[in-house]
Amino acid sequence: MLVRLSKKDAHASELMGADTVKLCEMQGFPPRLENDRQSRVEANIYGFKAEFAVARVLGTDLPEVNVLTDGGVDLWFDDISIDVKFTNKYGGPLIFDSMEKFKADCAVLVSKTDDPTSMRIWGAVGRKLFHAQAKTHDFGYGERLVMESRDLKPIEWLWRHLMERRHSQ
């Protein structure tokens, strides 16, 4: 699903991305980055853009700046936690360092597009399904758990699941 951000959401993402890095630097610890082709600020901006895109599609509260950690949760839909994972690679994959790092109930994979105001939501997966289907892969800095974007459920699947949980209780 292609999601066009409003100018307001894109602007907020830029501010939040820069603020996050500056707050980390002011606290005396450098923000981590494993990508030499992208600044930490740019990576954070796209991470926030991904979160805004998912928040708008699912109707959750909007993302917030977290300085130390978000605890593995970016968004909440009622009592269901969502980890929005951004990738620079068109089409994924969804990557977690380990199952211990997959703290949320589900994850949503998002990538950028050629248009800086549009984000592509590739799909979603629940924690249990990811655990059952993820493969291990070493990208050069240790083994990670990986699920290809084609194996994710469409975002409509997650939306329907969330609506059923909300309205069938």
Side-chain angles (χ1 to χ4, degrees), residues 140-159:
Y141 44 90
E143 285 193 346
R144 302 294 192 261
L145 294 171
V146 176
M147 189 172 197
E148 297 298 327
S149 61
R150 67 179 173 272
D151 297 326
L152 299 173
K153 303 285 187 186
I155 192 66
E156 295 86 353
W157 167 86
L158 178 59
W159 179 86

Side-chain angles (χ1 to χ4, degrees), residues 39-96:
S39 73
R40 183 71 254 179
V41 171
E42 184 181 5
N44 280 3
I45 289 169
Y46 275 108
F48 281 115
K49 284 181 176 184
E51 291 175 20
F52 270 98
V54 174
R56 293 300 186 190
V57 168
L58 298 179
T60 68
D61 288 339
L62 298 177
E64 299 175 347
V65 171
N66 299 290
V67 179
L68 294 178
T69 181
D70 59 15
V73 175
D74 296 308
L75 303 171
W76 287 92
F77 186 95
D78 297 338
D79 285 337
I80 298 172
S81 54
I82 304 167
D83 190 353
V84 177
K85 300 299 263 185
F86 171 75
T87 179
N88 279 305
K89 184 177 178 185
Y90 190 83
L94 175 63
I95 304 169
F96 278 93

